[in-house]
Coordinates of all heavy atoms in Angstrom, one line a residue:
M1 N -30.6 15.9 1.3 CA -29.8 16.0 0.1 C -28.4 16.6 0.5 O -27.4 16.2 -0.1 CB -30.5 16.8 -1.0 CG -29.8 16.9 -2.3 SD -30.0 15.4 -3.2 CE -29.5 16.0 -4.8
K2 N -28.5 17.6 1.3 CA -27.2 18.4 1.6 C -26.3 17.4 2.4 O -25.1 17.4 2.2 CB -27.6 19.6 2.5 CG -26.5 20.6 2.6 CD -26.9 21.8 3.2 CE -25.9 22.9 3.1 NZ -26.4 24.2 3.7
R3 N -26.8 16.6 3.3 CA -26.1 15.7 4.1 C -25.4 14.6 3.2 O -24.3 14.2 3.4 CB -26.9 15.0 5.2 CG -27.3 15.9 6.3 CD -28.0 15.1 7.3 NE -28.6 16.1 8.3 CZ -28.9 15.8 9.6 NH1 -28.8 14.5 9.9 NH2 -29.4 16.7 10.4
T4 N -26.1 14.1 2.3 CA -25.6 13.2 1.3 C -24.4 13.8 0.5 O -23.4 13.1 0.4 CB -26.7 12.7 0.2 OG1 -27.8 12.2 1.0 CG2 -26.1 11.6 -0.7
A5 N -24.5 15.0 0.1 CA -23.4 15.7 -0.6 C -22.3 15.9 0.3 O -21.0 15.6 -0.1 CB -23.9 17.0 -1.1
I6 N -22.4 16.2 1.5 CA -21.3 16.3 2.5 C -20.6 15.0 2.7 O -19.4 14.8 2.7 CB -21.8 17.0 3.8 CG1 -22.2 18.4 3.5 CG2 -20.7 16.9 4.9 CD1 -22.9 19.1 4.7
A7 N -21.5 13.9 2.9 CA -20.9 12.6 3.2 C -20.1 12.1 1.9 O -19.1 11.6 2.1 CB -22.0 11.6 3.5
L8 N -20.6 12.3 0.8 CA -19.9 11.9 -0.4 C -18.7 12.7 -0.6 O -17.6 12.1 -1.0 CB -20.9 12.2 -1.6 CG -20.3 11.7 -2.9 CD1 -20.0 10.2 -3.0 CD2 -21.3 12.0 -4.1
S9 N -18.6 14.0 -0.4 CA -17.4 14.8 -0.5 C -16.4 14.3 0.6 O -15.2 14.2 0.2 CB -17.8 16.2 -0.2 OG -18.6 16.7 -1.2
L10 N -16.8 14.0 1.8 CA -15.9 13.5 2.8 C -15.3 12.2 2.4 O -14.0 11.9 2.5 CB -16.6 13.4 4.1 CG -15.8 12.9 5.3 CD1 -14.6 14.0 5.5 CD2 -16.6 12.9 6.6
A11 N -16.1 11.3 1.9 CA -15.6 9.9 1.4 C -14.6 10.1 0.3 O -13.6 9.4 0.3 CB -16.8 9.1 0.9
M12 N -14.8 11.0 -0.6 CA -13.9 11.2 -1.8 C -12.6 11.8 -1.3 O -11.5 11.5 -1.8 CB -14.5 12.1 -2.8 CG -15.7 11.4 -3.5 SD -16.5 12.5 -4.7 CE -15.2 12.7 -5.9
L13 N -12.6 12.5 -0.2 CA -11.4 13.1 0.4 C -10.5 12.0 1.1 O -9.3 12.0 1.0 CB -11.6 14.2 1.3 CG -12.1 15.6 0.7 CD1 -12.5 16.5 1.8 CD2 -10.9 16.2 -0.1
L14 N -11.2 11.1 1.7 CA -10.6 10.1 2.5 C -10.2 8.9 1.8 O -9.2 8.1 2.1 CB -11.5 9.6 3.7 CG -11.7 10.7 4.8 CD1 -12.7 10.1 5.8 CD2 -10.5 11.2 5.4
L15 N -10.7 8.6 0.6 CA -10.5 7.4 -0.2 C -9.0 7.3 -0.6 O -8.4 6.2 -0.4 CB -11.4 7.4 -1.4 CG -11.3 6.1 -2.2 CD1 -11.7 4.9 -1.4 CD2 -12.2 6.2 -3.4
P16 N -8.4 8.4 -1.1 CA -6.9 8.2 -1.4 C -6.0 7.8 -0.2 O -5.0 7.1 -0.3 CB -6.5 9.6 -2.0 CG -7.8 10.2 -2.4 CD -8.8 9.6 -1.5
T17 N -6.4 8.3 1.0 CA -5.6 8.1 2.2 C -5.7 6.5 2.5 O -4.7 6.0 2.8 CB -6.2 8.8 3.4 OG1 -6.2 10.2 3.0 CG2 -5.5 8.6 4.7
F18 N -6.8 5.9 2.4 CA -7.0 4.5 2.6 C -6.3 3.7 1.6 O -5.7 2.7 1.9 CB -8.5 4.1 2.6 CG -9.2 4.7 3.7 CD1 -10.4 5.4 3.5 CD2 -8.8 4.6 5.1 CE1 -11.2 5.9 4.6 CE2 -9.5 5.1 6.1 CZ -10.7 5.7 5.9
A19 N -6.2 4.1 0.3 CA -5.5 3.5 -0.7 C -4.0 3.4 -0.4 O -3.3 2.4 -0.7 CB -5.8 4.0 -2.1
L20 N -3.5 4.5 0.0 CA -2.1 4.6 0.4 C -1.6 3.8 1.5 O -0.5 3.3 1.7 CB -1.7 6.1 0.6 CG -1.6 7.0 -0.7 CD1 -1.4 8.4 -0.3 CD2 -0.6 6.5 -1.7
A21 N -2.6 3.6 2.5 CA -2.3 2.9 3.7 C -2.1 1.4 3.5 O -1.5 0.7 4.3 CB -3.5 3.2 4.7
E22 N -2.6 0.9 2.4 CA -2.5 -0.5 2.0 C -1.1 -0.9 1.8 O -0.5 -0.3 0.9 CB -3.6 -0.9 1.0 CG -4.9 -0.9 1.4 CD -5.9 -1.4 0.4 OE1 -5.5 -2.4 -0.4 OE2 -7.0 -1.0 0.3
S23 N -0.6 -2.0 2.3 CA 0.8 -2.4 2.1 C 0.8 -3.9 2.0 O 0.0 -4.6 2.6 CB 1.6 -1.9 3.2 OG 3.0 -2.2 3.0
D24 N 1.8 -4.4 1.2 CA 1.9 -5.8 1.0 C 3.4 -6.1 1.6 O 4.2 -5.2 1.8 CB 1.8 -6.3 -0.4 CG 0.3 -6.2 -0.9 OD1 -0.5 -6.7 -0.2 OD2 0.1 -5.6 -1.9
D25 N 3.7 -7.4 1.6 CA 5.0 -7.8 2.0 C 5.4 -9.0 1.2 O 4.6 -9.8 0.7 CB 5.2 -8.1 3.5 CG 4.3 -9.2 4.0 OD1 3.1 -9.0 4.3 OD2 4.8 -10.3 4.0
T26 N 6.7 -9.2 1.1 CA 7.2 -10.4 0.4 C 8.6 -10.7 1.0 O 9.2 -9.8 1.6 CB 7.4 -10.1 -1.1 OG1 7.7 -11.3 -1.8 CG2 8.4 -9.0 -1.4
S27 N 9.1 -11.8 0.8 CA 10.4 -12.2 1.3 C 11.2 -13.0 0.1 O 10.5 -13.5 -0.8 CB 10.4 -13.1 2.6 OG 9.7 -14.3 2.3
G28 N 12.5 -12.9 0.2 CA 13.3 -13.5 -0.8 C 14.7 -13.1 -0.7 O 15.1 -12.5 0.3
E29 N 15.4 -13.6 -1.6 CA 16.9 -13.3 -1.7 C 17.2 -12.2 -2.7 O 16.7 -12.3 -3.8 CB 17.7 -14.6 -2.0 CG 19.1 -14.6 -1.9 CD 19.8 -15.9 -2.1 OE1 19.4 -16.8 -1.4 OE2 20.6 -16.0 -3.1
I30 N 18.0 -11.3 -2.3 CA 18.3 -10.2 -3.3 C 19.2 -10.8 -4.4 O 20.2 -11.5 -4.2 CB 19.2 -9.1 -2.6 CG1 18.3 -8.4 -1.5 CG2 19.7 -8.1 -3.6 CD1 19.0 -7.3 -0.7
T31 N 18.9 -10.5 -5.6 CA 19.6 -11.0 -6.8 C 20.3 -9.9 -7.5 O 21.4 -10.1 -8.1 CB 18.8 -11.7 -7.8 OG1 17.7 -10.8 -8.3 CG2 18.1 -13.0 -7.2
A32 N 19.8 -8.6 -7.3 CA 20.5 -7.5 -7.9 C 20.1 -6.2 -7.2 O 19.0 -6.0 -6.7 CB 20.1 -7.3 -9.4
I33 N 21.1 -5.2 -7.1 CA 20.9 -3.9 -6.6 C 21.3 -2.9 -7.6 O 22.5 -3.0 -8.1 CB 21.6 -3.8 -5.3 CG1 21.1 -4.7 -4.2 CG2 21.5 -2.3 -4.8 CD1 21.9 -4.7 -3.0
D34 N 20.5 -1.9 -7.9 CA 20.9 -0.8 -8.8 C 20.8 0.5 -8.0 O 19.7 1.0 -7.9 CB 20.1 -0.8 -10.0 CG 20.6 0.2 -11.1 OD1 21.1 1.2 -10.7 OD2 20.3 -0.1 -12.2
K35 N 21.8 1.0 -7.4 CA 21.8 2.2 -6.6 C 21.5 3.4 -7.4 O 20.8 4.3 -7.0 CB 23.1 2.4 -5.9 CG 23.4 1.3 -4.8 CD 24.7 1.6 -4.1 CE 25.0 0.5 -3.1 NZ 26.2 0.7 -2.4
D36 N 21.9 3.4 -8.7 CA 21.6 4.6 -9.6 C 20.1 4.7 -9.9 O 19.6 5.8 -9.9 CB 22.5 4.4 -10.9 CG 23.9 4.6 -10.7 OD1 24.3 5.3 -9.8 OD2 24.6 4.0 -11.5
K37 N 19.5 3.6 -10.2 CA 18.0 3.6 -10.4 C 17.2 3.5 -9.2 O 16.1 3.7 -9.2 CB 17.6 2.4 -11.3 CG 18.1 2.6 -12.7 CD 17.7 1.4 -13.5 CE 18.2 1.6 -14.9 NZ 17.8 0.4 -15.8
G38 N 17.9 3.2 -8.0 CA 17.2 3.0 -6.7 C 16.3 1.9 -6.7 O 15.1 2.0 -6.4
S39 N 16.8 0.6 -7.0 CA 15.9 -0.6 -7.1 C 16.7 -1.8 -6.6 O 17.9 -1.9 -6.5 CB 15.5 -0.8 -8.6 OG 16.6 -1.2 -9.4
I40 N 15.8 -2.7 -6.1 CA 16.4 -4.0 -5.6 C 15.5 -5.1 -6.3 O 14.3 -5.0 -6.3 CB 16.2 -4.1 -4.0 CG1 17.1 -3.1 -3.4 CG2 16.5 -5.5 -3.5 CD1 17.0 -2.9 -1.8
T41 N 16.2 -6.1 -6.8 CA 15.4 -7.2 -7.4 C 15.6 -8.4 -6.5 O 16.7 -8.7 -6.1 CB 16.0 -7.5 -8.8 OG1 15.9 -6.3 -9.6 CG2 15.3 -8.5 -9.5
L42 N 14.5 -9.2 -6.3 CA 14.5 -10.3 -5.5 C 14.5 -11.6 -6.4 O 14.4 -11.5 -7.6 CB 13.3 -10.4 -4.6 CG 13.3 -9.3 -3.5 CD1 12.1 -9.6 -2.6 CD2 14.5 -9.2 -2.7
S43 N 14.8 -12.7 -5.8 CA 14.9 -14.0 -6.4 C 13.6 -14.4 -7.2 O 13.6 -15.3 -8.1 CB 15.3 -15.1 -5.5 OG 14.4 -15.2 -4.3
D44 N 12.5 -13.7 -6.9 CA 11.2 -14.0 -7.6 C 11.1 -13.2 -8.9 O 10.2 -13.3 -9.7 CB 10.0 -13.7 -6.7 CG 9.9 -12.2 -6.3 OD1 10.7 -11.4 -6.8 OD2 8.9 -11.9 -5.6
G45 N 12.2 -12.4 -9.2 CA 12.3 -11.7 -10.4 C 11.6 -10.3 -10.4 O 11.7 -9.5 -11.3
K46 N 10.9 -9.9 -9.2 CA 10.3 -8.7 -9.1 C 11.3 -7.6 -8.6 O 12.1 -7.9 -7.8 CB 9.1 -8.8 -8.2 CG 8.0 -9.7 -8.7 CD 6.8 -9.8 -7.8 CE 5.7 -10.7 -8.5 NZ 4.6 -10.9 -7.5
T47 N 11.0 -6.4 -9.1 CA 11.9 -5.3 -8.7 C 11.1 -4.3 -7.9 O 9.9 -4.1 -8.1 CB 12.4 -4.5 -10.0 OG1 13.2 -5.5 -10.8 CG2 13.3 -3.4 -9.6
Y48 N 11.8 -3.8 -6.8 CA 11.2 -2.9 -5.8 C 12.0 -1.6 -5.8 O 13.3 -1.7 -5.7 CB 11.1 -3.6 -4.5 CG 10.4 -4.9 -4.5 CD1 11.0 -6.1 -4.8 CD2 9.0 -4.9 -4.1 CE1 10.3 -7.3 -4.9 CE2 8.3 -6.1 -4.2 CZ 9.0 -7.2 -4.6 OH 8.3 -8.4 -4.6
M49 N 11.3 -0.5 -5.9 CA 11.9 0.8 -5.9 C 12.2 1.2 -4.5 O 11.4 1.0 -3.6 CB 11.0 1.8 -6.7 CG 10.7 1.4 -8.1 SD 12.1 0.9 -9.1 CE 12.9 2.5 -9.3
T50 N 13.4 1.9 -4.3 CA 13.7 2.4 -3.0 C 13.3 3.9 -2.8 O 13.3 4.6 -3.9 CB 15.2 2.2 -2.7 OG1 15.9 3.0 -3.7 CG2 15.7 0.8 -2.8
P51 N 13.1 4.4 -1.6 CA 12.8 5.8 -1.4 C 14.0 6.5 -1.7 O 15.2 5.9 -1.7 CB 12.4 5.8 0.1 CG 12.2 4.4 0.6 CD 12.9 3.6 -0.4
S52 N 14.0 7.8 -1.8 CA 15.1 8.6 -2.2 C 16.2 8.6 -1.2 O 17.4 8.7 -1.6 CB 14.7 10.1 -2.5 OG 14.0 10.6 -1.4
E53 N 16.0 8.5 0.1 CA 17.0 8.5 1.1 C 17.2 7.1 1.6 O 17.4 6.9 2.8 CB 16.6 9.5 2.2 CG 16.5 11.0 1.8 CD 17.8 11.5 1.4 OE1 18.8 11.2 2.0 OE2 17.7 12.3 0.4
F54 N 17.3 6.1 0.9 CA 17.4 4.7 1.2 C 18.9 4.4 1.5 O 19.7 4.8 0.8 CB 16.9 3.8 0.2 CG 16.8 2.4 0.5 CD1 15.7 1.9 1.2 CD2 17.8 1.5 0.1 CE1 15.6 0.6 1.6 CE2 17.6 0.2 0.5 CZ 16.6 -0.3 1.2
N55 N 19.1 3.6 2.6 CA 20.4 3.2 3.0 C 20.7 1.8 2.6 O 20.0 0.8 3.0 CB 20.5 3.3 4.6 CG 21.9 2.9 5.1 OD1 22.8 2.5 4.3 ND2 22.1 3.1 6.4
F56 N 21.7 1.6 1.6 CA 21.9 0.3 1.0 C 23.0 -0.5 1.8 O 23.3 -1.5 1.5 CB 22.5 0.5 -0.4 CG 21.4 0.9 -1.3 CD1 21.1 2.2 -1.7 CD2 20.6 -0.1 -2.0 CE1 20.2 2.6 -2.6 CE2 19.6 0.3 -2.9 CZ 19.4 1.6 -3.2
D57 N 23.4 0.1 3.0 CA 24.5 -0.6 3.8 C 24.0 -1.9 4.2 O 23.0 -2.1 4.7 CB 24.8 0.3 4.9 CG 25.5 1.6 4.7 OD1 26.0 1.7 3.6 OD2 25.7 2.4 5.6
G58 N 25.0 -3.0 4.0 CA 24.7 -4.3 4.4 C 23.9 -5.1 3.4 O 23.7 -6.2 3.6
L59 N 23.4 -4.4 2.3 CA 22.6 -5.2 1.3 C 23.5 -5.5 0.1 O 24.3 -4.7 -0.4 CB 21.4 -4.3 0.8 CG 20.4 -3.9 2.0 CD1 19.4 -3.1 1.3 CD2 19.8 -5.2 2.6
K60 N 23.4 -6.8 -0.3 CA 24.2 -7.3 -1.5 C 23.5 -8.5 -2.0 O 22.6 -9.1 -1.2 CB 25.6 -7.5 -1.1 CG 25.8 -8.6 -0.1 CD 27.3 -8.8 0.3 CE 27.3 -9.8 1.4 NZ 28.7 -10.1 1.8
P61 N 23.7 -8.9 -3.2 CA 23.1 -10.2 -3.7 C 23.4 -11.3 -2.8 O 24.5 -11.4 -2.2 CB 23.8 -10.3 -5.1 CG 24.1 -8.9 -5.6 CD 24.5 -8.2 -4.2
G62 N 22.4 -12.1 -2.6 CA 22.5 -13.2 -1.6 C 21.8 -13.0 -0.3 O 21.7 -13.9 0.5
V63 N 21.7 -11.8 0.1 CA 21.2 -11.4 1.4 C 19.6 -11.7 1.4 O 18.9 -11.3 0.4 CB 21.3 -10.0 1.8 CG1 20.7 -9.6 3.1 CG2 22.9 -9.8 2.0
K64 N 19.1 -12.4 2.4 CA 17.6 -12.7 2.5 C 17.0 -11.5 3.2 O 17.5 -11.1 4.2 CB 17.4 -14.0 3.2 CG 17.9 -15.2 2.4 CD 17.6 -16.5 3.1 CE 18.2 -17.6 2.3 NZ 17.9 -18.9 2.9
V65 N 15.8 -11.1 2.6 CA 15.1 -9.9 3.2 C 13.7 -10.1 3.2 O 13.1 -11.0 2.5 CB 15.4 -8.6 2.4 CG1 16.9 -8.2 2.4 CG2 15.0 -8.8 0.9
V66 N 13.0 -9.3 4.0 CA 11.6 -9.2 4.0 C 11.3 -7.7 3.6 O 11.9 -6.9 4.2 CB 10.9 -9.5 5.4 CG1 9.4 -9.2 5.3 CG2 11.2 -10.9 5.8
I67 N 10.5 -7.6 2.5 CA 10.2 -6.2 2.1 C 8.7 -5.9 2.3 O 7.9 -6.7 1.9 CB 10.6 -6.0 0.5 CG1 12.1 -6.1 0.3 CG2 10.1 -4.7 0.0 CD1 12.6 -6.1 -1.1
Y68 N 8.5 -4.8 2.8 CA 7.1 -4.2 3.0 C 7.0 -3.1 1.9 O 7.9 -2.2 2.0 CB 6.9 -3.7 4.4 CG 7.1 -4.8 5.5 CD1 8.3 -5.1 6.0 CD2 6.0 -5.6 5.8 CE1 8.5 -6.1 7.0 CE2 6.2 -6.6 6.8 CZ 7.4 -6.9 7.3 OH 7.6 -7.9 8.2
Y69 N 6.0 -3.2 1.1 CA 5.9 -2.2 0.0 C 4.5 -1.8 -0.3 O 3.5 -2.5 0.1 CB 6.5 -2.8 -1.3 CG 5.8 -3.9 -1.9 CD1 4.9 -3.9 -2.8 CD2 6.0 -5.3 -1.3 CE1 4.2 -4.9 -3.4 CE2 5.3 -6.4 -1.8 CZ 4.4 -6.2 -2.8 OH 3.7 -7.2 -3.4
S70 N 4.4 -0.7 -1.0 CA 3.1 -0.2 -1.5 C 3.3 -0.1 -3.0 O 4.4 0.0 -3.6 CB 2.8 1.2 -1.0 OG 2.7 1.2 0.4
T71 N 2.1 -0.2 -3.7 CA 2.2 -0.1 -5.2 C 1.6 1.3 -5.5 O 0.5 1.6 -5.2 CB 1.3 -1.2 -5.8 OG1 1.8 -2.5 -5.3 CG2 1.4 -1.2 -7.3
N72 N 2.5 2.1 -6.2 CA 2.2 3.4 -6.7 C 2.4 3.4 -8.1 O 3.5 3.3 -8.6 CB 2.9 4.4 -5.9 CG 2.7 4.4 -4.4 OD1 1.5 4.2 -3.9 ND2 3.8 4.6 -3.6
D73 N 1.4 3.9 -8.8 CA 1.6 4.0 -10.4 C 2.1 2.7 -11.0 O 3.0 2.8 -11.8 CB 2.4 5.2 -10.7 CG 1.8 6.5 -10.3 OD1 0.5 6.6 -10.4 OD2 2.5 7.5 -9.9
G74 N 1.7 1.6 -10.5 CA 2.2 0.3 -11.0 C 3.6 -0.1 -10.5 O 4.1 -1.1 -11.0
K75 N 4.3 0.7 -9.7 CA 5.6 0.4 -9.2 C 5.5 -0.1 -7.8 O 4.7 0.6 -6.9 CB 6.5 1.6 -9.4 CG 6.8 2.0 -10.7 CD 7.7 3.2 -10.8 CE 7.9 3.6 -12.3 NZ 8.7 4.8 -12.3
R76 N 6.3 -1.1 -7.4 CA 6.4 -1.5 -6.0 C 7.4 -0.7 -5.3 O 8.7 -0.7 -5.7 CB 6.8 -3.0 -6.0 CG 5.6 -3.9 -6.5 CD 6.0 -5.4 -6.5 NE 7.0 -5.6 -7.6 CZ 6.6 -5.9 -8.9 NH1 5.3 -5.8 -9.3 NH2 7.6 -6.0 -9.8
V77 N 7.0 0.1 -4.3 CA 7.9 1.1 -3.6 C 8.1 0.6 -2.2 O 7.1 0.3 -1.4 CB 7.3 2.5 -3.6 CG1 8.2 3.4 -2.9 CG2 7.0 2.9 -5.0
I78 N 9.3 0.4 -1.8 CA 9.7 -0.1 -0.5 C 9.2 0.9 0.6 O 9.6 2.1 0.6 CB 11.2 -0.4 -0.4 CG1 11.5 -1.5 -1.4 CG2 11.5 -0.9 1.1 CD1 13.0 -1.8 -1.5
D79 N 8.5 0.4 1.6 CA 8.1 1.1 2.8 C 9.1 0.8 4.0 O 9.4 1.7 4.7 CB 6.7 0.8 3.2 CG 5.7 1.3 2.2 OD1 5.8 2.3 1.6 OD2 4.6 0.5 2.0
D80 N 9.5 -0.5 4.0 CA 10.4 -1.0 5.0 C 11.1 -2.2 4.5 O 10.5 -2.9 3.7 CB 9.6 -1.3 6.3 CG 10.5 -1.5 7.5 OD1 11.7 -1.1 7.4 OD2 10.0 -2.1 8.5
L81 N 12.3 -2.5 5.0 CA 13.1 -3.6 4.6 C 13.8 -4.2 5.8 O 14.4 -3.4 6.6 CB 14.0 -3.3 3.5 CG 14.9 -4.4 2.9 CD1 15.1 -4.3 1.5 CD2 16.2 -4.6 3.7
Q82 N 13.7 -5.5 6.0 CA 14.4 -6.1 7.1 C 15.2 -7.3 6.6 O 14.7 -8.1 5.8 CB 13.4 -6.6 8.2 CG 12.6 -5.5 8.8 CD 11.5 -6.1 9.7 OE1 11.2 -7.3 9.8 NE2 10.8 -5.2 10.4
T83 N 16.5 -7.4 7.1 CA 17.2 -8.6 6.7 C 16.9 -9.8 7.6 O 16.4 -9.6 8.7 CB 18.7 -8.3 6.8 OG1 19.0 -7.9 8.1 CG2 19.2 -7.2 5.8
Q84 N 17.0 -11.0 7.1 CA 16.7 -12.2 7.8 C 17.9 -12.9 8.3 O 19.0 -12.8 7.8 CB 15.9 -13.2 6.9 CG 14.5 -12.7 6.6 CD 13.8 -13.7 5.8 OE1 14.2 -14.3 4.9 NE2 12.5 -13.8 6.1

């Protein structure tokens, strides 16, 4: 019984870590950038939030990108961005 409780406690501690590690990617053309809100919108109509220290240099509407992102609280947050 004690081992089961320890294993369950350990699993509950590690579960959020695994959820954060999952990441998706998408590609498309930038249609809008809002530096004040910290967001980039792609040609598919989806908006991706930027981290607080994000560098917007070289990004403008029309630039093709690949975005790697995680979903946190229903928002797509950019983990990495590469221009094509």
Side-chain angles (χ1 to χ4, degrees):
M1 181 77 161
K2 195 173 192 178
R3 288 183 188 206
T4 303
I6 291 171
L8 183 58
S9 297
L10 184 59
M12 291 177 68
L13 286 172
L14 295 176
L15 188 59
T17 303
F18 293 128
L20 289 175
E22 291 186 32
S23 181
D24 289 313
D25 63 272
T26 189
S27 61
E29 189 173 301
I30 296 174
T31 58
I33 295 174
D34 188 331
K35 292 180 182 180
D36 293 330
K37 290 184 181 178
S39 66
I40 295 175
T41 304
L42 296 186
S43 52
D44 64 2
K46 294 181 181 175
T47 300
Y48 301 84
M49 305 308 294
T50 61
S52 59
E53 298 296 322
F54 189 78
N55 183 354
F56 287 93
D57 291 348
L59 299 179
K60 61 183 178 180
V63 172
K64 293 181 181 181
V65 296
V66 176
I67 292 179
Y68 300 90
Y69 67 94
S70 301
T71 304
N72 298 322
D73 295 327
K75 296 180 182 179
R76 291 174 289 276
V77 180
I78 297 172
D79 297 321
D80 191 18
L81 181 144
Q82 298 173 352
T83 57
Q84 293 182 318

